[in-house]
Amino acid sequence: MLSEVLLVSAPGKVILHGEHAVVHGKVALAVALNLRTFLRLQPHSNGKVDLSLPNIGIKRAWDVARLQSLDTSFLEQGDVTTPTPEQVEKLKEVAGLPDDCAVTKRLAVLAFLYLYLSICRKQRWTKEDLELINKWAFQGERMIHGNPSGVDNAVSTWGGALRYHQGKISSLKRPPALQILLTNTKVPRNTRALVAGVRNRLLKFPEIVAPLLTSIDAISLECERVLGEMGEAPALEQYLVLEELIDMNQHHLNALGVGHASLDQLCQVTRAHGLHSKLTGAGGGGCGITLLKPGLEQPEVEATKQALTSCGFDCLETSIGAPGVSIHSATSLDSRVQQALGGL
């Protein structure tokens, strides 16, 4: 039973290298972003459970007694289970969302209700607890995405940097905390269509596309090697290698047909400031990352961010290799996070 306010956070994620190639059995590197989603759990005595997701405009409340009356027999199985279609339908009834509710809102609420009914919270997390959190987070991903790879939930749980290869996920030891710009072009894209496009191009030009995928795999492996060598005392020469890998990977992704004019513009703008960028994720728009070398003067970083903003993009300065899911005391959070949580 939760007796006091509990603050929990988990990092975001970007793919460093290996987009699309990973679908064809190659290595991908994913890293945790120091842009965190915060969760505040606070006990109430009104017999209700309240959910507030301000970023997507969700504010709902349910009677605890009604939630507990649902069939929760899956809890008795002692392991993480996939929700059945019947359970999802029951959750839809309890959620009480209007028919015209946006899909993102509906899926977020259903994922919350399923996890809320399934998880017994702990405030001390052992390795076994984190493994359980990762399994449940994967089920939340399945509620939303259907057939996820497992990378997103693993990065958010464990943090740092992960290697993904043919369904196997492993952590990179002591990855350096690299500073980056994360830029959202705000161009929507269809991941499924982009993945299918690469597959069709591979079938049409196998002798051209297969070597591209092999080369992207080699880029991921070389990046993994360099990150392992950087440790706690990275050298400028290693950053120069990372920049070359970024440039090569971006050109390969364009050759695969998953680039976009907005991403080309992003790369051109940052290149004019002496920086190197690539798309992250599916491509076709979406987001890009820009590596910031040590010693870069802050006015130059701000000028780059302003130039990207002038293109109509959203740009955030952050770092990769962040800690995974964490418990916080209220006093440990900076004022902006405290203010945001206080407004819920």
Side-chain angles (χ1 to χ4, degrees):
M1 177 70 70
L2 185 65
S3 59
E4 58 184 19
V5 176
L6 181 65
L7 299 173
V8 183
S9 74
K13 176 225 75 175
V14 294
I15 298 292
L16 196 58
H17 290 291
E19 295 94 342
H20 291 282
V22 69
V23 178
H24 301 276
K26 309 301 184 184
V27 170
L29 300 180
V31 291
L33 279 174
N34 199 26
L35 295 172
R36 307 184 73 82
T37 297
F38 283 85
L39 169 68
R40 184 180 69 182
L41 297 171
Q42 184 171 354
H44 291 284
S45 58
N46 60 1
K48 292 183 179 294
V49 56
D50 299 293
L51 173 66
S52 177
L53 302 174
N55 284 5
I56 59 173
I58 285 289
K59 197 171 183 65
R60 308 289 297 180
W62 299 272
D63 289 327
V64 173
R66 186 182 180 196
L67 293 179
Q68 291 176 341
S69 69
L70 290 174
D71 178 13
T72 56
S73 57
F74 50 85
L75 291 174
E76 300 171 4
Q77 298 176 22
D79 199 1
V80 176
T81 57
T82 303
T84 65
E86 293 77 13
Q87 289 168 342
V88 173
E89 288 305 313
K90 289 181 181 178
L91 290 176
K92 287 181 179 179
E93 293 176 10
V94 175
L97 295 171
D99 294 337
D100 60 351
C101 179
V103 173
T104 51
K105 295 183 179 182
R106 179 180 294 109
L107 291 175
V109 170
L110 293 179
F112 166 78
L113 286 173
Y114 180 68
L115 297 176
Y116 173 83
L117 291 167
S118 306
I119 296 174
C120 178
R121 295 218 53 84
K122 288 188 176 183
Q123 294 194 33
R124 290 181 178 273
W125 292 338
T126 63
K127 180 181 178 181
E128 289 72 22
D129 293 329
L130 289 172
E131 290 173 349
L132 185 60
I133 288 171
N134 186 48
K135 288 180 180 179
W136 279 114
F138 180 67
Q139 295 306 327
E141 282 280 294
R142 294 187 69 172
M143 288 286 292
I144 295 174
H145 294 299
N147 188 30
S149 66
V151 172
D152 286 7
N153 49 277
V155 173
S156 289
T157 300
W158 301 103
L162 299 181
R163 181 186 202 267
Y164 181 88
H165 185 219
Q166 297 183 342
K168 296 181 179 179
I169 301 174
S170 56
S171 296
L172 275 63
K173 294 182 179 179
R174 293 181 298 176
L178 305 178
Q179 295 296 123
I180 66 164
L181 297 180
L182 176 67
T183 303
N184 182 2
T185 66
K186 297 192 282 191
V187 175
R189 79 279 191 207
N190 185 324
T191 299
R192 183 174 296 179
L194 289 161
V195 171
V198 173
R199 180 175 287 107
N200 291 338
R201 189 167 288 198
L202 176 61
L203 293 173
K204 187 176 182 180
F205 306 109
E207 294 185 358
I208 299 172
V209 176
L212 285 174
L213 298 175
T214 299
S215 182
I216 291 175
D217 186 55
I219 289 171
S220 297
L221 294 174
E222 178 64 10
C223 180
E224 180 182 8
R225 184 191 68 78
V226 173
L227 293 177
E229 289 182 351
M230 292 175 79
E232 298 178 358
L236 179 60
E237 292 76 13
Q238 293 166 323
Y239 276 90
L240 297 178
V241 173
L242 293 181
E243 289 180 336
E244 286 189 84
L245 296 177
I246 285 173
D247 290 342
M248 288 189 289
N249 200 351
Q250 178 63 18
H251 288 305
H252 284 18
L253 291 165
N254 276 331
L256 291 178
V258 297
H260 189 271
S262 62
L263 293 165
D264 292 339
Q265 186 179 19
L266 188 163
C267 293
Q268 291 166 4
V269 168
T270 57
R271 190 181 304 118
H273 291 266
L275 302 175
H276 300 253
S277 305
K278 65 176 287 291
L279 68 84
T280 181
C287 293
I289 55 174
T290 304
L291 181 64
L292 302 178
K293 293 194 297 283
L296 191 64
E297 297 292 336
Q298 192 60 32
E300 185 60 31
V301 175
E302 293 301 324
T304 306
K305 290 164 64 177
Q306 182 57 49
L308 290 168
T309 302
S310 298
C311 296
F313 304 153
D314 289 338
C315 185
L316 295 169
E317 183 179 351
T318 185
S319 61
I320 61 176
V325 63
S326 306
I327 298 177
H328 305 270
S329 65
T331 56
S332 69
L333 303 177
D334 66 38
S335 56
R336 291 178 302 171
V337 175
Q338 291 188 40
Q339 184 177 6
L341 290 171
L344 297 181

